[in-house]
Amino acid sequence: MKKGIHNSVKVLSTALLLAAMTVSCVDDKNNYSAGFEVLAVKSKVLYANSTSDSLYVQSLGPWQISPQAGAEWCAIKGMEGVGGTYYMLGIQIQKNQTGHERVARFAIYDTEHSEATVNWQLSQTATRGDGSLGNASLVKSIESSDGYIATIEYDQNDRPVKYALMDAEDTQVDYLTISYDEHAGTISVNNKGSILTAQTDNSLQPVYMQNVTDTIGYSSQHYPNGMPVSYNYAFNFIAKGSRGMQAYSYLLAGERHPNGQNLSPDSLHLADSLCYVRQWNNDQTRVVEKLKLEYGADDNRCQSVDVNQLIFGFADYNPFALLSLYRYTRSTSIITAAKSNDGNIEVVTQLNSDKSVNTMTVKRGNKTVTYTFKY
C-alpha cells in the first residue's frame, strides 16, 4: 500500500484557513481517496461578544466532526455529511465572560477511512470588538459634577445602540442611535439626523464613516517621504461634522516601545503621547495641545467605555471614541497624568469590586470635575 498526504485547501476571502489533508490509498484490493478539500471558518477572529460564525467543509468522503473537551462554548449546526458536497455550517458561540482567551478543539475525520483525520481549533478572544473585556461591566450612565449626564443602552451582544448627552441646561449635546447588520457586515449610526454607514469585519468596528456633512475614522500618519506609518507605531483619529473638527494623533512608539506596540485584539498597548486639535464651528479658535501620557495599574478594559476620553471633559470629548467604536483609541490602562505646556492634567479613579470605574476625578489648574459611573 502506498500513501501520500498533501494540503488541499481552497482559499476563501477573509476566511481563516484550517489544516486540511488528502489521503490516497492504492493497492490490488483498495482504490480510494479520502480527506478534506475545504476546511475553513469565515472570521479571522472570534471576539468575546461574537455569538455566531460559519464553518465551510468539503470532503472527498463521508465525514463527521468530534468535539473535544473544552469545546462546550461553541456548537456547530451539522456534525456530519457526505463526500463531494460543499457545506456551510452555522456555529453558535457563547459570549466569553472568563476574562481570558479560550480555545475549542475539534477533530474531523472520514468515517470510512479514519486515517484521514484533521485536528483543528477555534479561538475566542478575551476582549469584545470594542476592546473591553468580555466580563466588563456595561456603563449605563455617566454624570459629571459640572452638570453633564450621558446615558447608554446596549443590545444583547453588549454593543451600544443608543447614546445621549445632556448638559447642565438640559440641552441635548449628542444623540446617537447605532444599528448593526452582521450578515451584510455593516454598522449604521444616526448622529442627530446625519446617517453614517460603514463596512466592518465581525468585530463590527467601523474604519471610516463618511457622508455629505460628516467624516469619522482613522487615518494614517506619514513619513517625510510620503510613506504611511504603521498603525502600531502611530495613527490619527479624525471627526468632522456639524459641530466642527476634532483630530487625535496617537503616538504608540516611545522610549519604552521604540518600535511601536502590538494592536492585536487582546494585546496591551498604551499611547505614549497624544496631540489633540479642535476647532468648533461656532468658535473659530483653533486649539492644539500636545500631551505626554502617564498610566497607573488600573485596567481600562474593565468597563464598556473608554474613560480616558474624559480627560478633556464632555465639552471636548468625542462620543464615538468614548463608546469605543474605534477600539485602537482605547489605551488598555487608565491615564493618571497628562503633561502639557498648557497645564498638566491629574486623574484619580476609584474602582468598584469588579475593577470597573466608580468615580473618576480630573483636575487641571483650578478646575476639578468628577465623573460618576452607573452600571
Side-chain angles (χ1 to χ4, degrees):
M1 180 183 297
K2 297 180 180 180
K3 295 185 179 180
I5 299 177
H6 63 275
N7 289 332
S8 180
V9 180
K10 295 181 179 178
V11 177
L12 302 172
S13 62
T14 72
L16 172 64
L17 299 180
L18 305 171
M21 63 180 289
T22 300
V23 175
S24 300
C25 185
V26 180
D27 62 15
D28 293 339
K29 297 181 180 179
N30 277 317
N31 185 356
Y32 72 83
S33 293
F36 304 94
E37 297 180 294
V38 176
L39 183 59
V41 292
K42 178 181 178 181
S43 301
K44 293 180 180 180
V45 180
L46 297 180
Y47 291 90
N49 59 334
S50 297
T51 57
S52 64
D53 211 88
S54 298
L55 174 70
Y56 306 106
V57 178
Q58 185 169 332
S59 173
L60 294 174
W63 56 269
Q64 186 168 332
I65 295 174
S66 174
Q68 310 299 301
E72 296 80 10
W73 54 268
C74 58
I76 300 171
K77 299 177 182 178
M79 302 291 281
E80 58 186 14
V82 299
T85 301
Y86 183 84
Y87 291 86
M88 183 175 69
L89 308 173
I91 307 175
Q92 288 184 325
I93 303 167
Q94 297 175 17
K95 290 190 289 186
N96 182 6
Q97 297 177 327
T98 66
H100 304 281
E101 181 187 27
R102 61 183 178 183
V103 175
R105 293 180 173 83
F106 299 87
I108 184 170
Y109 59 93
D110 188 306
T111 57
E112 293 181 353
H113 305 287
S114 60
E115 63 267 36
T117 299
V118 176
N119 295 302
W120 53 280
Q121 67 184 41
L122 296 175
S123 298
Q124 188 178 31
T125 65
T127 53
R128 302 170 181 142
D130 65 4
S132 63
L133 290 167
N135 57 358
S137 297
L138 302 178
V139 175
K140 302 296 179 61
S141 69
I142 308 169
E143 188 169 357
S144 69
S145 59
D146 58 351
Y148 290 90
I149 183 166
T151 56
I152 313 170
E153 297 179 15
Y154 300 84
D155 66 10
Q156 68 276 12
N157 291 334
D158 305 326
R159 301 173 302 205
V161 293
K162 188 177 292 186
Y163 174 81
L165 177 67
M166 307 293 289
D167 66 14
E169 286 73 42
D170 288 331
T171 301
Q172 188 180 82
V173 179
D174 287 310
Y175 186 76
L176 307 178
T177 57
I178 307 164
S179 60
Y180 308 86
D181 188 330
E182 296 185 49
H183 179 72
T186 60
I187 181 173
S188 181
V189 181
N190 185 332
N191 183 10
K192 297 178 70 173
S194 177
I195 308 298
L196 295 138
T197 301
Q199 291 292 130
T200 71
D201 58 17
N202 70 312
S203 71
L204 293 178
Q205 288 267 297
V207 175
Y208 195 75
M209 309 183 80
Q210 183 176 24
N211 61 18
V212 175
T213 59
D214 296 2
T215 56
I216 300 171
Y218 301 117
S219 69
S220 297
Q221 296 187 27
H222 293 81
Y223 292 108
N225 64 4
M227 293 293 292
V229 175
S230 171
Y231 273 38
N232 75 321
Y233 190 93
F235 65 90
N236 299 327
F237 171 67
I238 300 174
K240 299 178 182 179
S242 59
R243 189 183 183 193
M245 181 276 292
Q246 292 172 293
Y248 302 76
S249 294
Y250 290 89
L251 178 64
L252 275 67
E255 293 180 4
R256 290 179 298 177
H257 304 281
N259 297 316
Q261 299 179 57
N262 189 346
L263 289 176
S264 60
D266 286 345
S267 66
L268 300 178
H269 54 88
L270 307 174
D272 179 80
S273 57
L274 170 66
C275 179
Y276 175 64
V277 181
R278 179 264 287 170
Q279 184 170 318
W280 299 137
N281 291 337
N282 62 358
D283 177 5
Q284 292 303 306
T285 302
R286 186 178 179 89
V287 173
V288 180
E289 186 164 11
K290 297 180 180 180
L291 299 162
K292 177 72 173 179
L293 305 177
E294 297 181 1
Y295 302 86
D298 295 343
D299 196 329
N300 190 29
R301 303 173 300 164
C302 293
Q303 65 285 317
S304 54
V305 302
D306 177 4
V307 300
N308 289 334
Q309 298 297 328
L310 294 173
I311 64 170
F312 296 115
F314 275 124
D316 271 284
Y317 88 121
N318 183 274
F320 290 82
L322 177 69
L323 296 174
S324 267
L325 290 179
Y326 290 85
R327 66 175 289 157
Y328 295 153
T329 63
R330 183 200 291 252
S331 288
T332 53
S333 293
I334 297 176
I335 292 170
T336 56
K339 296 185 177 180
S340 166
N341 291 334
D342 297 323
N344 295 338
I345 299 172
E346 299 176 15
V347 181
V348 177
T349 52
Q350 298 291 329
L351 304 184
N352 297 308
S353 59
D354 63 357
K355 298 183 180 180
S356 62
V357 175
N358 181 6
T359 62
M360 175 178 177
T361 300
V362 179
K363 182 179 179 180
R364 186 169 200 174
N366 59 3
K367 183 178 180 180
T368 299
V369 179
T370 297
Y371 301 90
T372 302
F373 298 78
K374 301 294 183 183
Y375 298 87

